[in-house]
Amino acid sequence: MIDIKNKTTPIAVKVDDLTVAYNYKPVLWDIDLEIPEGVLMAIVGPNGAGKSTLIKSILGILKPIAGSVSIYGKPYDKQRKLVAYVPQKGSVDWDFPTTALDVVMMGTYGNLGWIKRPGQKQKKEALEALEKVGMLPFKNRQISQLSGGQQQRIFLARALVQNASIYFMDEPFQGVDATTEIAIINILKALRKAGKTVIVVHHDLQTVPEYFDWVTFLNVKKIATGPVKDIFNDDYLTKTYGINYKVSIHK
Amino acid sequence: MSNAQLEIQLIASIVAIACAIPGTFLVLRKMAMISDAISHSILPGIVIGFFITQDLNSPLLILLAALTGIITVVLVEYIQKTGLVKEDTAIGLVFPTLFSIGVILIAKNANDVHLDVDAVLLGELAFAPFDRMVISGADVGPKSLWIIGSILLITIALLFAFFKELKVSTFDAGLAASLGFSPAVIHYGLMTVSSITTVGAFDAVGAILVVALMIAPPATAYLLTTDLKKMLFYSVGFGIFSAISGYWLAHGLDASISGSITTMLGIIFLLVYLFAPNKGVIAVLYREKQQRTEVLLLTFLLHLKNHTDERERHVNHLNEHINWQKIRSKTVLDLALKNNMIKFNKNIVSLTEKGNAFTSQAIDYIITNEDAQIEDMKDDFFLFRG
């Protein structure tokens, strides 16, 4: 155990010996990970490296076969309200009969708990979140009528409305246009400025140094984690992706 | 209208409402086939319950049958989870097996009682008013009305209490889980309600109509609205309408009531499928035609914008160069003129200021990959659509 008190920043997320398997085949193997508070962190690694799986098991969506997760020193169940989650855009049915505003309102359900219904206060929070991501004019739009980038912003607004301390995002830049990508990264940077911890599954290695200040290399096992300026180098990229990545990253 | 007729219509309507509510969520969760499975595989539950209680309307029998429904769902999920067969195959394996166990049980042991395969499949709504509920000597109405009425009340209470949980777990199970609303609890809750509703409605309308009442009204409503609450209301409305009109159809034709109700459900779905304002077949075809013309218009405007020399913009040249047939060219030209996008000057076509602005903006959107925005932009520019 690392003594947290000796550090200047507390640990927001701590993963201990986490192993996750699908049908007895491990997809994550003995992961130890500490994410300090206030970082904007990318999780990078090749396809099938278990990036989404790592996030999902931290959030209790998947059950690990071994290991434990703590959020600010306590189990996830007790710290739910500190955490917001943006799943992959493709994980839901966008033909579902509902509006943009209603999807964002879903972010308030966690604080409401069972049975209690959202009211004016929740609606106001949702509208403010929509305004922050620039989607206010689309509030009554049916969600299938939104472009990919707009749908991603709706998901982001839904996470913002949870007013959490830690944000987990699964490939928020997938299939969005350049304008939306910039809009999203600006919001993420604003979150970090406000002292929040943001953890993003990311695919585009080129933008890692520009967008993030912290990075975790993952390929079934954890390869490395730390500040981008210290560890985002050819050595770890090669260890994570295999031999050819040196070339492509310099292009 | 006699009292019995009124009671039949009342029972049919309440069954329709009770089915439409869980049905809406089953349709949205793409689990329509599961309701078919449940409706058949509760049969052994009913038969065994009947042996124990000797009463087709006993609450214990309903619970036992609902339990068989849950077992069906669990079995289907278990077989599917092994990864050896797909979900639809798993459903096809489980429910006929359970159903046929029920059929054998009836044939072996229940030949002398009121429980036969016909009644199970089709129900007999016409006889429902004869089975009365008697409380301390007073007749308080048909038994099935009381049973399905109680089930409906419970369903509505659960819907009001857990509407937001049902919605979020149906739309995004991952989010529901991370917020602490266990999707598994909600899933099995919905399955329990569906099973109980199926059993309650089963006696009155039979296994086949139960499925129709659960699936057809929500499927119809889905084509008409983009709002979950409205979808629920429309489903209920279509259910009631089919129940009552189906009854009178059966009355007129002197045919099976449950068959006629199902026919009405099918007819209503077909009508909505064809004529729904946004998602209907005709609306979609019309919109596709409109869009095709508008894309041609944009192509034409783009050509005008790209070529400044008069030779390229001469009417005759356009005709042969763009290589469109006469009617098509005329449609596009008319549309451009109607919307003040182009002007003629001695057979030379050129963009108006508005046409120019429209084209530039459209190109911007296409280049930045925001094609979806073009649809919004059309509202700002078009006086007439294609």
Side-chain angles (χ1 to χ4, degrees), chain A residues 61 76 80 87 92-93 95-98 102 106 109 113-117 141-143 147 158 162 177 179, chain B residues 28 30 160-162 164-165 167 170-172 174-175 177-181 222 226-228 368 370 372 376:
Chain A
I61 298 170
Y76 175 74
R80 243 180 246 292
V92 303
D93 174 12
D95 285 326
F96 192 83
T98 190
D102 201 40
M106 289 178 191
Y109 290 1
W114 288 86
I115 298 180
K116 240 176 122 190
R117 306 244 199 149
R141 191 70 73 90
Q142 207 272 324
I143 51 175
S147 71
R158 190 178 72 179
Q162 286 180 256
D177 52 274
T179 342
Chain B
L28 288 174
K30 301 175 181 66
F160 269 95
F162 298 111
K164 101 175 178 293
E165 288 79 4
K167 182 166 67 179
T170 303
F171 174 62
D172 190 343
L175 179 80
S178 78
L179 292 177
F181 305 116
Y222 183 76
T226 54
D227 178 321
L228 180 56
T368 53
E370 298 220 30
D376 300 338

Side-chain angles (χ1 to χ4, degrees), chain B residues 3-53:
Chain B
N3 219 7
Q5 283 181 316
L6 201 66
E7 280 173 358
I8 292 174
Q9 289 175 65
L10 194 60
I11 294 171
S13 304
I14 291 181
V15 167
I17 304 171
C19 287
I21 294 171
T24 300
F25 291 98
L26 290 178
V27 166
L28 288 174
R29 287 165 173 251
K30 301 175 181 66
M31 293 178 66
M33 280 312 289
I34 262 294
S35 70
D36 191 22
I38 292 176
S39 71
H40 284 79
S41 60
I42 54 175
L43 184 60
I46 291 180
V47 180
I48 295 168
F50 182 73
F51 292 156
I52 298 171
T53 60

Side-chain angles (χ1 to χ4, degrees), chain B residues 46-302:
Chain B
I46 291 180
V47 180
I48 295 168
F50 182 73
F51 292 156
I52 298 171
T53 60
Q54 293 297 319
D55 175 8
L56 265 180
N57 293 314
S58 143
L60 179 71
L61 181 141
I62 292 181
L63 284 180
L64 262 178
L67 188 71
T68 337
I70 303 290
I71 292 173
T72 314
V73 177
V74 174
L75 276 178
V76 167
E77 280 166 6
Y78 180 79
I79 295 179
Q80 190 193 344
K81 223 173 257 169
T82 60
L84 299 173
V85 293
K86 299 265 180 266
E87 187 188 6
D88 51 347
T89 316
I91 293 176
L93 286 168
V94 171
F95 86 79
T97 313
L98 289 171
F99 184 71
S100 42
I101 291 174
V103 171
I104 293 174
L105 283 175
I106 293 180
K108 286 301 281 180
N109 305 301
N111 270 334
D112 49 342
V113 294
H114 155 67
L115 189 65
D116 59 73
V117 177
D118 273 3
V120 163
L121 282 177
L122 298 171
E124 206 27 282
L125 210 46
F127 297 152
F130 298 122
D131 194 6
R132 312 299 294 186
M133 178 93 142
V134 180
I135 298 177
S136 56
D139 178 2
V140 289
K143 264 187 188 169
S144 18
L145 185 60
W146 280 93
I147 294 171
I148 195 64
S150 326
I151 293 173
L152 176 62
L153 281 180
I154 296 170
T155 307
I156 290 178
L158 287 171
L159 177 71
F160 269 95
F162 298 111
F163 181 70
K164 101 175 178 293
E165 288 79 4
L166 271 166
K167 182 166 67 179
V168 69
S169 73
T170 303
F171 174 62
D172 190 343
L175 179 80
S178 78
L179 292 177
F181 305 116
S182 160
V185 168
I186 296 162
H187 172 71
Y188 285 108
L190 178 63
M191 289 301 121
T192 311
V193 169
S194 307
S195 299
I196 291 178
T197 308
T198 308
V199 188
F202 193 87
D203 187 34
V205 297
I208 293 176
L209 182 57
V210 172
V211 184
L213 280 171
M214 281 206 175
I215 305 309
T220 314
Y222 183 76
L223 297 176
L224 288 171
T225 177
T226 54
D227 178 321
L228 180 56
K229 281 181 190 157
K230 280 189 195 151
M231 185 172 162
L232 278 163
F233 279 115
Y234 289 177
S235 306
V236 166
F238 285 130
I240 297 174
F241 180 78
S242 311
I244 292 173
S245 59
Y247 173 77
W248 288 106
L249 180 68
H251 188 79
L253 298 174
D254 192 18
S256 145
I257 300 174
S258 53
S260 304
I261 294 177
T262 314
T263 308
M264 283 312 296
L265 288 167
I267 291 173
I268 292 171
F269 177 79
L270 183 67
L271 289 176
V272 172
Y273 176 74
L274 290 175
F275 300 111
N278 267 315
K279 295 184 191 166
V281 171
I282 292 172
V284 167
L285 283 178
Y286 176 77
R287 205 165 42 237
E288 273 172 6
K289 183 178 158 281
Q290 177 178 321
Q291 224 143 28
R292 206 159 45 229
T293 319
E294 286 169 4
V295 168
L296 291 177
L297 172 69
L298 191 58
T299 316
F300 173 62
L301 296 179
L302 205 62

Side-chain angles (χ1 to χ4, degrees), chain A residues 141-179:
Chain A
R141 191 70 73 90
Q142 207 272 324
I143 51 175
S144 65
Q145 310 281 314
L146 299 167
S147 71
Q150 290 169 334
Q151 290 172 343
Q152 193 66 58
R153 290 193 208 198
I154 293 298
F155 261 12
L156 186 60
R158 190 178 72 179
L160 291 178
V161 98
Q162 286 180 256
N163 198 15
S165 307
I166 307 172
Y167 290 81
F168 288 94
M169 308 197 177
D170 204 342
E171 303 204 18
F173 303 114
Q174 198 182 44
V176 307
D177 52 274
T179 342

Side-chain angles (χ1 to χ4, degrees), chain B residues 289-350:
Chain B
K289 183 178 158 281
Q290 177 178 321
Q291 224 143 28
R292 206 159 45 229
T293 319
E294 286 169 4
V295 168
L296 291 177
L297 172 69
L298 191 58
T299 316
F300 173 62
L301 296 179
L302 205 62
H303 179 80
L304 291 180
K305 194 174 158 66
N306 275 345
H307 295 283
T308 40
D309 50 335
E310 295 201 342
R311 197 177 61 85
E312 286 277 351
R313 292 191 283 121
H314 194 275
V315 173
N316 292 338
H317 178 80
L318 279 174
N319 254 340
E320 59 201 57
H321 202 95
I322 289 194
N323 201 15
W324 285 341
Q325 285 157 358
K326 244 200 174 129
I327 300 170
R328 182 178 273 188
S329 316
K330 194 171 167 347
T331 321
V332 173
L333 264 181
D334 282 350
L335 184 63
L337 274 175
K338 266 203 292 195
N339 283 310
N340 303 328
M341 302 267 194
I342 55 170
K343 55 179 184 263
F344 281 100
N345 188 2
K346 287 183 208 143
N347 280 338
I348 303 292
V349 193
S350 50

